[in-house]
Amino acid sequence: MSARADANPARVARLRRWRRRLTLLALTVLFCVLAIEGGLWLLDRYPPLPRHYPGECQNRSHPTFEADAELGWRTRPGLDVLLEDESGDGTKVRYLGDRHGRRTGPDRAAETATRRILLAGDSFVWAASVAWEDGLAGRLEAHFADTRVENVAQPGFGLDQVVLSVERHILDPKPDLIVVGIYPHDVDRCLTSFRADLGFNKPTFVLRDGELAPMTAADRPGPLWRLVEDHSRLLGLWRRAQRNVGFNHGIGHW
């Protein structure tokens, strides 16, 4: 007992010194994080990048699109509307939707066309702010008289929705060619379960044991991490850095 009592004071002193050092280190890191966070707010840089999770939001009504249980949303079937383009000069573009909720044109290739091309992607392939005949689908049909082009792209689609849209239409009948247009932000869109500007929920996936699985309400983060996601500009900076390094150098999960 006396030997242990003689040895304990030195050991206890060392432990106390290490505790003080670790506490000081943790406080220093916390102070630096808060200082950077405060600086980003003062400079109004790198706003937070909040994400939505399944079951958090309700679909809203939209004049051009409607909810789709499998894909998230689609062009309203039978749509025929004139909308101003993005030039701001008052030019209007006519948008037509077929019975399947796909954008179409006034002059389509005959149903007896011998070839079928399937287009998938986001607003670039859908041809937002562009007349049908000036978009990719319209130009292909004009150039190849024996070809029918079916455009299953939709504005705002993420890469996950693009894949699902191809899988839905790939066998009705099987196309001769599938063209997929991918824009970098399509990857970002895979990370959220709600498209706020359109007002629709969308499918979202997570990796479980190396396989993609639908994200559910059980995958929502805890309240503390959600608070950080919704309000931290430092986290917004970190996520932008991850994306840029991944896109430009092929490093990380991007």
Side-chain angles (χ1 to χ4, degrees):
M1 293 293 293
S2 61
R4 288 186 59 188
D6 293 339
N8 279 340
R11 182 166 177 251
V12 169
R14 286 197 301 271
L15 290 175
R16 286 176 177 172
R17 285 197 299 270
W18 275 108
R19 289 195 189 101
R20 286 196 295 268
R21 291 170 183 171
L22 292 175
T23 301
L24 181 60
L25 177 62
L27 291 174
T28 301
V29 171
L30 178 61
F31 174 80
C32 291
V33 168
L34 294 177
I36 296 173
E37 187 74 52
L40 293 175
W41 277 96
L42 288 174
L43 295 173
D44 195 21
R45 300 292 303 276
Y46 306 109
L49 294 174
R51 297 172 180 172
H52 295 284
Y53 296 88
E56 291 184 336
C57 304
Q58 297 294 321
N59 287 334
R60 302 194 302 265
S61 177
H62 195 284
T64 308
F65 306 100
E66 67 175 13
D68 184 287
E70 181 184 0
L71 302 179
W73 57 87
R74 63 175 182 170
T75 305
R76 286 187 175 276
L79 179 74
D80 189 349
V81 65
L82 287 173
L83 299 175
E84 288 191 14
D85 66 10
E86 298 177 354
S87 65
D89 60 3
T91 302
K92 291 190 175 182
V93 176
R94 187 183 184 191
Y95 296 92
L96 302 176
D98 67 10
R99 62 187 179 90
H100 301 290
R102 301 175 294 208
R103 188 179 178 189
T104 186
D107 300 313
R108 297 300 310 275
E111 296 290 343
T112 56
T114 58
R115 293 189 299 184
R116 176 174 177 255
I117 295 178
L118 188 70
L119 299 185
D122 57 12
S123 58
F124 286 99
V125 181
W126 189 77
S129 294
V130 176
W132 170 265
E133 57 270 19
D134 293 326
L136 178 58
R139 286 179 176 270
L140 286 172
E141 283 195 346
H143 190 75
F144 300 104
D146 63 342
T147 300
R148 180 175 179 82
V149 179
E150 296 183 11
N151 190 359
V152 301
Q154 297 289 347
F157 263 15
L159 191 57
D160 42 13
Q161 293 166 290
V162 173
V163 173
L164 290 173
S165 65
V166 171
E167 291 178 347
R168 172 187 281 189
H169 297 96
I170 198 170
L171 295 176
D172 57 350
K174 184 178 179 180
D176 298 283
L177 177 67
I178 299 173
V179 180
V180 177
I182 300 174
Y183 180 63
H185 285 293
D186 298 347
V187 183
D188 278 320
R189 295 165 182 169
C190 296
L191 303 176
T192 187
S193 295
F194 185 74
R195 178 78 185 194
D197 57 342
L198 294 178
F200 294 108
N201 285 282
K202 62 173 291 294
T204 317
F205 298 86
V206 293
L207 276 175
R208 292 196 179 97
D209 299 324
E211 298 290 336
L212 283 175
M215 181 181 287
T216 67
D219 296 300
R220 296 180 193 171
L224 179 59
W225 179 248
R226 190 59 196 272
L227 182 68
V228 173
E229 272 195 323
D230 290 345
H231 300 287
S232 174
R233 292 182 177 238
L234 183 58
L235 180 60
L237 171 60
W238 172 250
R239 285 180 169 171
R240 289 176 174 86
Q242 283 184 307
R243 180 179 60 193
N244 292 336
V245 171
F247 280 141
N248 295 325
H249 305 287
I251 297 173
H253 67 277
W254 283 99

